Amino acid sequence: SSGINAEYGVRRNAIVVLVRRYGLESTIFLKAVESQVDFVYEEDKCKLTVGRVTLQMFDRVIVQISVEDCNIQHKKLRMKLLNPIITVVSVEPIYVTMGNKD
């Protein structure tokens, strides 16, 4: 897999992802999911169930990290969920090959 191991917390409409290895934190919002799959948040248990996937605080996930550079002065890091697979949220991994600059 080309993803990075990360831990996460849950919110009512998002997964908060922490990549300790790099000191990165990001939020993956699930708003698009709400209308397309069953979506249950249990605040007292810090548990989020999306379809058949149940996410709890400090479980491990695999994310893809990329740089969004549509504006060269304001580059942003983007995290996308690879695993667990959640309909509408998870993405297919992107494999990038770095070539030699001669």
Side-chain angles (χ1 to χ4, degrees), residues 77-89:
L77 281 180
R78 289 281 181 211
M79 280 193 210
K80 296 181 180 178
L81 185 65
L82 295 178
N83 199 347
I85 297 171
I86 299 175
T87 305
V88 183
V89 176

Side-chain angles (χ1 to χ4, degrees), residues 11-29:
R11 290 194 209 162
R12 181 171 304 283
N13 67 341
I15 302 169
V16 180
V17 179
L18 171 64
V19 182
R20 287 191 287 169
R21 180 177 183 176
Y22 300 113
L24 299 174
E25 184 176 317
S26 185
T27 303
I28 299 174
F29 289 96

Side-chain angles (χ1 to χ4, degrees), residues 21-87:
R21 180 177 183 176
Y22 300 113
L24 299 174
E25 184 176 317
S26 185
T27 303
I28 299 174
F29 289 96
L30 305 174
K31 289 180 181 178
V33 174
E34 292 180 37
S35 63
Q36 298 181 25
V37 294
D38 293 331
F39 185 90
V40 179
Y41 176 67
E42 297 177 58
E43 185 174 10
D44 58 326
K45 296 179 182 178
C46 289
K47 184 162 86 171
L48 180 65
T49 303
V50 183
R52 295 182 183 182
V53 177
T54 298
L55 309 170
Q56 292 184 298
M57 186 80 72
F58 301 118
D59 284 347
R60 292 191 181 264
V61 296
I62 298 176
V63 296
Q64 176 176 286
I65 299 174
S66 60
V67 177
E68 183 179 276
D69 58 357
C70 56
N71 182 341
I72 197 151
Q73 293 178 343
H74 302 287
K75 293 184 179 185
K76 294 181 182 180
L77 281 180
R78 289 281 181 211
M79 280 193 210
K80 296 181 180 178
L81 185 65
L82 295 178
N83 199 347
I85 297 171
I86 299 175
T87 305

